[in-house]
Amino acid sequence: MLVQIMAIAAALALAAPVAAQTRLNVAIAADVNVVEVHKTLLGPGFKAMEPAVDLNVVGTGTGEPASRAIYTKIKAQADAGRKPWDLDVALVSMSVASQMVKEGLLHRFVPQMKNAALVKGAEVKEAFGVNVDGYVVPMFHNQIAIAYHPSKVAAPPKTFDELAAWVKANPGRFGYNGIKGGVSGVGFTMGWVYWKTGLYQQLTQGPVDKGKDGAIREAITALRDFNKNAVITNGNAGTLDALNRGEIWMGVVWIDQLVAWKNEGRMDQAVTPSLPAPGLPIYPLYLVVPREAASRDVAARYIDYIANPEVQARAIVERFGWYPGVDPDRVLPLISAKSRELLFKGVSAQDLARYSRQMPLKEYHDMITLAYEELVR
């Protein structure tokens, strides 16, 4: 993480200020393709509207450590009493965003946006038990799903019960990345616990009851037995690779990465996602504005630009195959039939509405991952 923090500082230092221009420092905790869309598409589009603004976009890497690096930098400036802070916009994970709201590190900017009414859904109201309403805008939505080869799986499982029965009957043909190989594996584990315990509402809304640990451990013990017939892959990309090579016939993946690989010609076009009941979690990346950002109003306008339905349709859905970050009813009518087919093949908008799940509260998240680490070998 130290290397990531130093990289942020170096990139900010190298960007020389331009007289009479506003420099917007944007830190992105995501893959290089997300960084590039800010540099080559969103940034230039915004600059065409506001020529006096220059964007300085910095990528901090992938995964939770990349978001933690941004948090650490902002927290250090807050603790030092420095003002203004040198980041204006950040794209961070749900976990880090909720922590920053809880610690008073973010600016509540969404009510200022023209497109504020399009920022909707449970995930923009509460994240990991923290009220984030008004502080976050999802750039796009990620959804964890079960991808399968139709030539090998004639009837994809519609429920976790059917999934468990299929894996038992087809040992070594289902894969996921456990809880140390990325969020898709973590999300599958959470979905498994929701199904086995029937405690979705309590695990995501509270109150926290440590007495539920027994039910959680019972569910994880069943997952340990399930894993005996599953393949633990090396990350989400590892699951996609194994699917593409036909080594496994079904696996847990991010839908957006599956679509991206298809768009890039790296994936068997036949591989199809499905979303079994009672569902699997989403894990959005949030655009946020630090509380003491030097250019808070411009930062809010940049995020407002990204939330515009036409920009979402062109840059988020058409270009990358991501689900829109704002109200899909306003965005999806603007996309092509081809993109709609690719995005919703196997998982319909109705499936997303019924089976998208939130991650559990942090306390329950920790109980579940601890139980996994102790019980699953």
Side-chain angles (χ1 to χ4, degrees), residues 223-292:
L223 182 58
R224 179 190 63 193
D225 296 338
F226 171 89
N227 279 2
K228 292 175 182 174
N229 292 315
V231 175
I232 302 302
T233 63
N234 182 24
N236 193 69
T239 306
L240 288 167
D241 274 333
L243 276 166
N244 201 38
R245 291 192 297 265
E247 295 171 4
I248 59 174
W249 298 345
M250 198 185 299
V252 180
V253 300
W254 291 111
I255 292 181
D256 70 292
Q257 194 165 3
L258 171 64
V259 171
W261 280 34
K262 283 186 174 182
N263 280 335
E264 295 166 8
R266 301 169 60 188
M267 194 75 199
D268 186 333
Q269 298 294 313
V271 174
T272 304
S274 68
L275 196 53
L280 287 163
I282 56 173
Y283 197 69
L285 291 175
Y286 291 131
L287 291 159
V288 300
V289 178
R291 190 190 74 221
E292 301 297 340

Side-chain angles (χ1 to χ4, degrees), residues 88-231:
D88 299 297
V89 176
L91 183 71
V92 295
S93 70
M94 176 183 265
S95 171
V96 165
S98 63
Q99 182 177 352
M100 288 200 288
V101 172
K102 192 174 182 179
E103 296 181 7
L105 297 174
L106 296 184
H107 173 49
R108 192 168 188 271
F109 70 98
V110 177
Q112 303 171 24
M113 293 171 44
K114 294 177 183 174
N115 293 300
L118 305 184
V119 183
K120 57 198 304 186
E123 70 280 2
V124 300
K125 303 297 182 187
E126 187 169 287
F128 289 105
V130 177
N131 182 351
V132 297
D133 189 13
Y135 293 93
V136 299
V137 173
M139 179 180 166
F140 56 88
H141 272 130
N142 286 345
Q143 174 66 56
I144 297 165
I146 308 294
Y148 65 97
H149 271 283
S151 63
K152 303 292 185 183
V153 183
K158 292 184 171 69
T159 66
F160 265 67
D161 292 280
E162 292 181 10
L163 173 65
W166 187 92
V167 172
K168 186 175 182 179
N170 297 274
R173 295 301 185 183
F174 174 87
Y176 78 107
N177 50 345
I179 63 165
K180 292 185 177 179
V183 179
S184 57
V186 174
F188 176 73
T189 301
M190 302 304 162
W192 176 279
V193 172
Y194 296 157
W195 164 58
K196 275 292 184 183
T197 64
L199 294 172
Y200 174 67
Q201 288 297 324
Q202 179 156 17
L203 295 180
T204 54
Q205 305 301 320
V208 174
D209 177 3
K210 293 188 176 178
K212 300 304 180 189
D213 191 50
I216 289 171
R217 285 178 173 268
E218 186 176 336
I220 294 296
T221 299
L223 182 58
R224 179 190 63 193
D225 296 338
F226 171 89
N227 279 2
K228 292 175 182 174
N229 292 315
V231 175

